[in-house]
């Protein structure tokens, strides 16, 4: 049976990637496309907007109205738009995959509430390989003695404003979890700190420049050896492909709050 997909934020950079990823995914079909009501894209064909042949799905500004034609919604829009998506999907009993980042506490609480009615997956990074890296980092941190220093390096394009990246912080959380700890916030940047390093700390290093899509490098530094685990994204399409694969998996799951790791590791 074909899984019917709706995309919120369809006129954005990730929206275009998602339309292409759905078109390329066997068994999935785009049946609804939504963007902000002030968007110039309202009324355009979602396929054409993404640079594909027309697909007969116009961009709409009213998610509840299109939900009856949808099995799963994928939201890559804006943090302040997500609460409305969550409410609509919970009311319409439609599965929800959220890739939008920067969700505030109220929106996350709304996600928890909705997860009693529908399956919801929230992932600030939907790359499949990056999510495997999170698992590897947690395992390595749990296996290696706590005296190993952990350094998380990330590089992104010159336009990125936040640092360290949300993904670097997630890697730090995974490393801390492996040690049975939690990562304190705010984190400090290693290069900005003077003096000797304390034993076994989790540090962060950041580089900005050019058009780097995203690089994350986690090093476990011991006396006489280093373990390096690295992920390099070269194309934003990887985030869309991961999100679309996870969204397809989410359909038919029991209500609950899911992570990419549930999708990646429970099926094996
Ligand atoms: P973008 O600004 O290009 O696109 C956002 C789209 O959302 C725009 O078309 C905008 O009009 C639309 N939008 C805004 N308010 C809306 C509303 N109320 N209802 C419906 N649509 C609305 O941004 P982008 O680069 O495509 O990124 C979108 C989000 O995805 C960001 O939060 C970004 O951080 C996140 N992101 C996540 C991943 C991941 O792996 N999970 C990867 C890349 C980007």
């Amino acid at each position: 049976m074909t899984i019917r997909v709706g995309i919120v934020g369809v006129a954005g950079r990730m929206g275009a990637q998602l339309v292409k990823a759905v078109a390329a995914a066997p068994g999935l079909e785009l049946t609804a496309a939504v963007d902000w009501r002030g968007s110039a894209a309202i009324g355009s064909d979602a396929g054409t907007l993404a640079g594909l042949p027309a697909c007969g799905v116009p961009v709409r500004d009213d998610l509840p109205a299109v939900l009856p034609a949808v099995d799963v919604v994928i939201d890559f829009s804006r943090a302040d738009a997500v609460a409305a998506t969550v409410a609509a999907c919970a009311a319409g009993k439609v599965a929800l995959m959220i890739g939008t980042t920067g969700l505030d506490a109220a929106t996350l609480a709304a996600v928890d509430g909705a997860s009693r009615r529908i399956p919801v997956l929230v992932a600030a990074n939907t790359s499949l390989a990056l999510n495997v890296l999170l698992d590897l980092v947690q395992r390595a941190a749990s296996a290696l003695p706590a005296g190993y220093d952990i350094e998380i390096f990330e590089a992104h394009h010159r336009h990125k404003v936040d640092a360290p990246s949300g993904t670097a912080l997630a890697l730090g959380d995974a490393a801390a979890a492996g040690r049975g700890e939690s990562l304190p916030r705010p984190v400090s940047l290693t290069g900005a700190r003077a003096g000797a390093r304390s034993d076994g700390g989790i540090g962060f290093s950041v580089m900005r420049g050019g058009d780097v899509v995203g690089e994350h490098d986690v090093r476990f530094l011991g006396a006489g050896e280093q373990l390096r685990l690295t992920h390099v994204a070269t194309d934003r399409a990887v985030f869309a492909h991961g999100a679309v694969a996870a969204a397809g998996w989410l359909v038919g799951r029991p209500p609950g709050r899911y992570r990419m790791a549930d999708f990646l590791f429970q099926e094996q």
Side-chain angles (χ1 to χ4, degrees), residues 7 14-25 46-47 49-52 237 240-241 244:
I7 297 172
M14 282 303 300
Q17 297 287 349
L18 288 162
V19 169
K20 291 181 191 159
V22 171
L49 203 61
L52 297 177
H241 285 294
V244 166

Side-chain angles (χ1 to χ4, degrees), residues 20-85:
K20 291 181 191 159
V22 171
L28 271 67
E29 185 190 354
L30 184 73
T31 52
V34 175
D35 209 275
W36 173 59
R37 74 173 43 88
S39 166
I42 302 302
S44 310
D45 184 278
T48 316
L49 203 61
L52 297 177
C55 64
V57 179
V59 180
R60 304 271 304 263
D61 63 4
D62 184 2
L63 179 62
V66 295
L67 276 185
V70 170
D71 299 312
V72 61
V73 166
I74 305 177
D75 185 308
F76 278 69
S77 60
R78 273 174 51 135
D80 58 7
V82 172
T85 304

